Structures are given as C-alpha cells and as structure tokens.
Amino acid sequence: MESELMTSAEVASALRAPEASIRYWRYQHKGPRWFKIGRRVLYMRSDVDLYIEHARSTAAARALGLPPISASTATATALHSSGTPAPARGSDDTRADGRST
C-alpha cells in the first residue's frame, strides 16, 4: 500500500461520494482517519484503504447474516482521527448538571 497524502476531494473521488459527505463524516467522527497540516485536512492513502477494507468486511458479514462488527474493535478504533475510541452507541453521556446529552 502506498502512503501518499490525499485531499478531501481525492478521497471523495476514490470513495465515489460527494465531498460534502466526506466533510460530514469528519464532523461525525466517521469515515477514514484524517489529520491537519496547518489548515489543510489530509488523509493517508493507507488509511483510506483501511476504511474501504473495513467497509467491505462489514458488508460481507452482513450479507452472511453475521452480527455487525463492533465499533470497539481495534480496526474501528484505528479509523478515528482523535486517537481515542469513539463512545459506544447507546452510551449514557451525562453533563455536569446531571442531565443527559
């Protein structure tokens, strides 16, 4: 796998998705791992390839009737740019005043 840098437009082209979707996925902490150099958002080709492979394995599992791959797996954790795992779905996040978010 090559480790070249890609822009959001190049990732959108590679995934055949609108560039706006790539931006929205970034906002939602989904999609391929990304980073910034200055104000530029960039992706490594290897991270985009990993994202595609993860999507393929999830789709294959779904087609075979297997349970979906957990978001807490190491592969999914590697897909997030923050370096910390995303909160589990359905987790109860409470604010400082005790109310749920």
Side-chain angles (χ1 to χ4, degrees):
M1 283 186 209
E2 292 182 18
S3 291
E4 64 183 55
L5 298 177
M6 298 176 71
T7 64
S8 294
E10 291 168 332
V11 171
S13 177
L15 297 177
R16 297 184 180 173
E19 193 173 351
S21 293
I22 305 302
R23 286 191 303 269
Y24 184 69
W25 294 346
R26 230 178 16 248
Y27 171 75
Q28 292 290 315
H29 301 283
K30 298 178 181 179
R33 187 175 176 186
W34 59 276
F35 60 96
K36 279 185 155 185
I37 295 179
R39 293 172 47 179
R40 285 191 96 179
V41 174
L42 298 169
Y43 300 81
M44 297 294 291
R45 163 70 68 187
S46 57
D47 291 333
V48 174
D49 292 340
L50 177 64
Y51 177 76
I52 292 169
E53 189 58 38
H54 178 71
R56 288 183 68 205
S57 64
T58 302
R62 209 176 297 132
L64 294 173
L66 301 173
I69 296 172
S70 170
S72 63
T73 62
T75 303
T77 301
L79 298 177
H80 295 284
S81 63
S82 65
T84 59
R89 289 184 179 158
S91 65
D92 185 9
D93 295 328
T94 54
R95 300 184 337 189
D97 60 6
R99 296 187 299 177
S100 291
T101 55

